[in-house]
Amino acid sequence: MLTGSALVAPATMAAESAPAAAAAAVPTISAKGAFLLDDATGKVRYSKTADTRRQMASTTKIMTAAVVLNTKGIDLNRKVTIKQTYRDYVAREGASTADLRTGDKVTIRQLIYGLMLPSGCDAAYALADAIGTGSTVAARKKSFISKMNAKATELGLKNTKFDSFDGISQAGNNYTTPRDLATIARYAMKSSTLRTVVKAKSIKTAATSSTGGTRTYTWYNTNQLLGSYSGAIGVKTGTGTAAGPCLIFAATRNGKTHIGVILNGKDRYTDAAKLLDYYSGASAAKTMKLRQLPAGAERD
């Protein structure tokens, strides 16, 4: 769960019409912004206010993961020592957490799981500190966020800016659009590592504790579309005061994979299911029952 100041920016755009071949009516969804594309071709399938800038909360972490996984020479087995700074940050912000323990040594791969499943802002901090460059933690955080913005520029995104490695934005200068975020997700999902991570409903993983023993971390995926909608393969939730409930989603049905975005949708999972149904000829949204998260699991 994230907080941040409000942001509303340029122009809105009406929902684009559906392909002529589709027989059913275009679904009505709750989201203020949405987008759906064909992963194989990049063809736009649905769009609603696709180029209106909005805050994105923890869906920011898809770019965090993309930057890490596309870092030249990245060693996913490299171990990172968890600092008390990361825990203090999560406590101060009231943020979602992987509950990483000070002094534990966890791998970059494990941090990606901690980032994407329980939406750990501590994991995001650890990754930014590990991958950014500079002689201080502050410098490395700034460097990492610069890498996020550089990647957005490389992808040709005109309406996306990051001032945060996890979506917590005090100034509100952490924004995107449905179209841009779908582009980021499509790029990020080219990583086989990320595809493996985001489709996992949960994971148990062992790390070296601060005392040299073994600590087992158990993380549950906050994305309740997984295990609820047939064919769902990811991707990332996000919720914030200004952003509202957000979702990057992906599913493969009938041999086709679609990637979509919901920004500020009070019924984000049903919205996603409706859009996926529409382009696969299914009707699962009507009867879908969401996978329940166990008590104590993070919600985002």
Side-chain angles (χ1 to χ4, degrees):
M1 183 75 72
L2 302 177
T3 59
S5 57
L7 174 132
V8 177
T12 60
M13 186 176 80
E16 294 176 4
S17 59
V26 178
T28 299
I29 62 174
S30 72
K32 293 183 178 179
F35 201 76
L36 186 74
L37 57 76
D38 185 310
D39 181 42
T41 66
K43 184 176 180 180
V44 178
R45 294 300 190 185
Y46 178 89
S47 124
K48 179 180 180 181
T49 63
D51 301 300
T52 297
R53 296 176 181 178
R54 300 183 188 279
Q55 287 199 41
M56 55 184 137
S58 279
T59 60
T60 296
K61 291 166 182 161
I62 190 73
M63 183 61 102
T64 307
V67 167
V68 173
L69 292 171
N70 287 281
T71 295
K72 187 176 180 179
I74 188 68
D75 178 5
L76 296 178
N77 295 316
R78 170 187 167 191
K79 290 189 176 182
V80 174
T81 301
I82 301 306
K83 298 176 182 176
Q84 182 64 34
T85 304
Y86 312 154
R87 291 184 61 85
D88 292 345
Y89 169 76
V90 165
R92 183 171 67 249
E93 298 294 340
S96 50
T97 178
D99 196 24
L100 299 172
R101 303 301 178 91
T102 303
D104 283 7
K105 293 178 173 60
V106 298
T107 66
I108 296 289
R109 189 189 307 275
Q110 288 173 319
L111 287 173
I112 294 290
Y113 274 99
L115 175 80
M116 300 302 286
L117 270 64
S119 198
C121 294
D122 46 354
Y125 201 144
L127 287 166
D129 192 18
I131 304 302
T133 57
S135 59
T136 66
V137 172
R140 291 189 291 273
K141 285 193 301 179
K142 183 177 180 180
S143 165
F144 187 84
I145 294 167
S146 293
K147 292 176 187 289
M148 295 169 73
N149 283 309
K151 182 59 68 176
T153 298
E154 180 186 319
L155 293 173
L157 308 181
K158 305 295 186 184
N159 292 304
T160 295
K161 181 179 180 181
F162 298 100
D163 71 356
S164 163
F165 50 74
D166 58 5
I168 297 176
S169 174
Q170 300 304 329
N173 290 320
N174 196 84
Y175 57 79
T176 192
T177 66
R179 188 190 307 274
D180 280 7
L181 192 53
T183 299
I184 295 169
R186 187 183 181 213
Y187 167 76
M189 289 287 278
K190 294 182 187 300
S191 164
S192 60
T193 297
L194 189 67
R195 292 196 303 272
T196 297
V197 169
V198 299
K199 72 180 181 182
K201 293 189 286 292
S202 65
I203 188 174
K204 286 188 177 182
T205 187
T208 304
S209 73
S210 58
T211 59
T214 298
R215 190 189 311 280
T216 300
Y217 287 98
T218 301
W219 295 315
Y220 297 93
N221 200 321
T222 60
N223 179 9
Q224 292 175 268
L225 202 65
L226 294 172
S228 305
Y229 187 87
S230 178
I233 57 172
V235 177
K236 185 70 190 76
T237 59
T239 304
T241 303
C246 302
L247 179 68
I248 304 170
F249 61 96
T252 302
R253 294 180 73 114
N254 300 326
K256 287 193 173 184
T257 299
H258 286 90
I259 294 175
V261 169
I262 299 294
L263 292 183
N264 206 335
K266 62 183 179 181
D267 199 2
R268 57 185 169 174
Y269 296 114
T270 300
D271 285 350
K274 283 181 177 180
L275 294 179
L276 291 167
D277 274 0
Y278 185 57
Y279 289 98
S280 65
S283 57
K286 295 178 181 178
T287 56
M288 182 176 69
K289 293 184 178 180
L290 289 180
R291 171 178 60 92
Q292 296 302 300
L293 297 172
E298 291 293 315
R299 267 76 174 167
D300 185 19

